[in-house]
Amino acid sequence: PPAAIAATQNSRDTLPSYWNPIMNRLNAEKFSVDPGSEEYARVETAFMLTLDDPSRGLQRTQFTIQSVERIQNMDLWNLYVAKRKTICGRMSPKDAQSLVRNWLFHGGRPDTVDKILQQGFNRSFAGRNATRYGKGVYFARDASYSTFFSSPDTDGVQSMFLARVVVGEYTLGVQDARTPAERDATTHALYDSTVDNVRDPSIFVTYNDGQAYPEYLIKFKQDGDPPPPT
């Protein structure tokens, strides 16, 4: 039927142009990104850009990328696109650009990486460590912050996700809060996410599974054992 064709066409239109043709629509697929490619350079630059953290004696020269993989998961992508459309639809296209971040970082633990690939950033297993700005999924503007939450596997390799995130309209996070505060008292609509600092946020917390898409998985090694972020 034409409607089904239109729907397929629609979802195809919203896929990033650099993705591989999707053969498997049921499960997540990982595609290795070639170190010589423009795509690899984009991801590497984004990762390396914010690795320096003088307060923790952290320098980008301490990090070595082992691999970069692109994650293609149609279920998660469609959820993300739908959520992005809903949140961005509140504003004009020009203003809506401020509601989306490509990319924020999320440190992966060996026991959650595969779950995130298939199920996305699910609060039940992603928000166990930090609750200072609310009980959601934590994303960082700076890769240096997420390195601390990227637990090494038995070979000392750490994993970090580069995620597209619809942060939407945000407010200051509250310790242990299960949802953001109300942004509109008349409709009881909530803020879309919470942050550590409204004027200059470096941590974003989301509360809806469709708000973030794990687009890349970087595996890396680091020299030294820096203290935790303050």
Side-chain angles (χ1 to χ4, degrees):
I5 293 166
T8 312
Q9 186 61 44
N10 235 349
S11 82
R12 198 177 294 135
D13 289 344
T14 58
L15 290 176
S17 58
Y18 48 85
W19 278 24
N20 288 48
I22 292 182
M23 302 305 167
N24 181 348
R25 291 184 162 266
L26 299 176
N27 295 309
E29 286 188 271
K30 284 190 297 184
F31 292 93
S32 191
V33 180
D34 173 22
S37 67
E38 187 191 332
E39 183 179 8
Y40 186 96
R42 264 204 329 269
V43 174
E44 180 184 39
T45 302
F47 177 63
M48 290 292 185
L49 196 64
T50 55
L51 279 177
D52 289 348
D53 183 353
S55 72
R56 293 162 63 209
L58 208 58
Q59 295 180 314
R60 68 189 71 180
T61 48
Q62 292 168 250
F63 295 86
T64 320
I65 294 178
Q66 308 286 306
S67 66
V68 173
E69 292 170 299
R70 184 190 330 110
I71 299 154
Q72 297 189 187
N73 180 326
M74 280 307 292
D75 270 358
L76 285 186
W77 179 256
N78 288 336
L79 273 175
Y80 169 74
V81 168
K83 193 71 188 164
R84 185 175 66 186
K85 201 172 172 182
T86 306
I87 291 177
C88 291
R90 291 186 218 136
M91 295 193 177
S92 71
K94 190 165 75 72
D95 295 333
Q97 288 175 359
S98 66
L99 305 179
V100 181
R101 297 286 188 283
N102 296 348
W103 300 292
L104 295 178
F105 302 98
H106 181 91
R109 300 192 307 273
D111 61 325
T112 62
V113 167
D114 287 341
K115 289 180 183 172
I116 289 171
L117 291 175
Q118 292 297 343
Q119 303 167 36
F121 299 102
N122 182 316
R123 281 190 283 170
S124 64
F125 54 74
R128 285 203 299 235
N129 288 346
T131 59
R132 183 172 174 187
Y133 302 110
K135 285 191 169 177
V137 183
Y138 280 62
F139 296 95
R141 177 193 65 198
D142 303 332
S144 57
Y145 180 88
S146 297
T147 56
F148 182 74
F149 299 98
S150 308
S151 323
D153 64 13
T154 47
D155 299 320
V157 176
Q158 294 168 260
S159 297
M160 190 183 296
F161 288 97
L162 266 69
R164 292 174 180 244
V165 185
V166 194
V167 296
E169 294 174 77
Y170 47 79
T171 185
L172 188 65
V174 175
Q175 174 92 33
D176 292 334
R178 292 183 179 277
T179 61
E182 285 188 358
R183 64 180 166 83
D184 185 335
T186 51
T187 61
H188 301 293
L190 305 179
Y191 279 96
D192 303 300
S193 53
T194 55
V195 293
D196 59 330
N197 178 329
V198 176
R199 292 185 65 174
D200 183 23
S202 66
I203 295 167
F204 294 86
V205 186
T206 62
Y207 298 80
N208 184 292
D209 297 343
Q211 269 178 273
Y213 181 84
E215 191 170 16
Y216 291 101
L217 175 63
I218 294 183
K219 298 211 165 166
F220 64 96
K221 283 189 167 180
Q222 71 170 311
D223 302 329
D225 190 17
T230 48

